[in-house]
Amino acid sequence: MIRKKLMSAVLMLTVLVLGACKKDESEVKPLQSEDMLNVSYGASASNTMDIYLPENRNSSTKVLVFIHGGSWYSGDKSDFTTYATTMRAKGYAVVNMNYRLIDLTGTGTVKLQQQQDDVKAVIDYVSAKTNSWNVSGNIALIGASSGAHLAMLHTYGNNSDNKVKTVVSISGPTNLTDTRNVNVQTAGLVQLLLGFSPITNPQAYINGSPIYKVTATSKPTLIVHGRQDVVVPVQQAIDLKAKLDQTGVKSSLVVYENAGHDVVSASNYVQFMATLDAWLAENL
């Protein structure tokens, strides 16, 4: 009798131990942060991106894609590295992309279309990786200067798949047909970007202007600009805000009175980041 009770106790203990082991094996360990640098997303050597995945991410983790500036012919993703890692620390998955640049000699094959293709390629890449990265499919595009131009152009004109939920423009050109207060250098770069002068092909300037792509279904837009910007006049930001208001698209325009084209500086960084945080929390 005693032996029978002992065997029953041993059997019960074995069942409990095996059950505990099975439970431990089934528990999901929190994901660690991960850096994937210089990941290729296309055939060109310029088609690279840095990916920063946050710890404890899950299927609700939102994705930010940063697009650097540089007048379409220069710049690098490293310009946004500090912002990328800062936003990763706040729980976002971040992609910081390079893209093909135009050739100042005018003989290169890279034009606006190729740069637009690169933005789309990155978005498609991210969308295909949401399960393996364990992140959400909700994407925000954040660009500076020419990068903001590309971000807006994609969001307003090439986002039929609804992958991009909001766009942030930092000193971005919105209307390539508007030559008011535009300096000669910028006008020349736009001509290289499009491959035409405004006289020979005015439609190319319309097609390349985010403001002409805005419709009632466009995505919420945060516009940040410096009042003293001599590269992209602040009027372009003001005009875009008016167009967004006219079409009923949610938007916010933040103008820093004493700032130029490099609008974010030590004096307003904290304010800018608070604005960005609040916008993303509400619209992404």
Side-chain angles (χ1 to χ4, degrees), residues 27-254:
E27 288 179 351
V28 178
K29 293 182 180 180
L31 293 172
Q32 299 300 306
S33 63
E34 187 174 354
D35 295 357
M36 292 177 277
L37 305 181
N38 295 313
V39 175
S40 175
Y41 68 85
S44 170
S46 299
N47 294 146
T48 61
M49 58 186 170
D50 297 336
I51 301 157
Y52 302 92
L53 301 179
E55 63 182 1
N56 300 322
R57 61 189 178 277
N58 55 49
S59 58
S60 297
T61 298
K62 308 301 193 301
V63 181
L64 311 180
V65 175
F66 282 96
I67 310 176
H68 70 79
S71 300
W72 302 285
Y73 78 92
S74 65
D76 186 80
K77 54 186 169 61
S78 60
D79 297 342
F80 265 135
T81 297
T82 299
Y83 287 95
T85 55
T86 297
M87 298 310 289
R88 191 261 297 274
K90 296 181 180 184
Y92 292 98
V94 182
V95 174
N96 191 15
M97 66 174 287
N98 272 342
Y99 52 93
R100 287 172 286 178
L101 302 172
I102 64 172
D103 183 349
L104 290 181
T105 66
T107 59
T109 58
V110 176
K111 301 295 182 185
L112 177 58
Q113 185 59 58
Q114 284 69 42
Q115 295 185 344
Q116 287 183 271
D117 291 345
D118 287 351
V119 174
K120 185 178 186 304
V122 167
I123 292 170
D124 289 345
Y125 187 106
V126 171
S127 297
K129 292 290 187 178
T130 54
N131 289 334
S132 59
W133 292 354
N134 200 24
V135 298
S136 163
N138 289 356
I139 298 171
L141 294 186
I142 303 174
S145 191
S146 55
H149 168 256
L150 296 175
M152 290 185 288
L153 204 56
H154 179 90
T155 304
Y156 301 153
N158 298 316
N159 192 37
S160 58
D161 51 17
N162 199 37
K163 293 174 182 176
V164 176
K165 306 302 182 184
T166 185
V167 62
V168 178
S169 168
I170 305 169
S171 305
T174 68
N175 187 354
L176 302 185
T177 71
D178 186 357
T179 58
R180 292 174 295 173
N181 300 315
V182 173
N183 62 50
V184 175
Q185 181 181 2
T186 301
L189 289 169
V190 170
Q191 186 165 327
L192 284 174
L193 175 73
L194 300 178
F196 303 97
S197 74
I199 296 175
T200 58
N201 192 346
Q203 189 62 44
Y205 284 70
I206 294 173
N207 294 342
S209 298
I211 197 168
Y212 289 107
K213 303 291 186 181
V214 172
T215 68
T217 59
S218 293
K219 296 303 181 182
T221 304
L222 172 62
I223 311 163
V224 180
H225 221 97
R227 181 77 67 185
Q228 310 306 319
D229 193 336
V230 296
V231 178
V232 180
V234 69
Q235 190 61 47
Q236 297 224 352
I238 295 169
D239 290 347
L240 176 62
K241 179 67 167 77
K243 181 64 176 291
L244 292 166
D245 289 346
Q246 178 187 346
T247 51
V249 177
K250 182 179 180 180
S251 64
S252 177
L253 171 60
V254 179

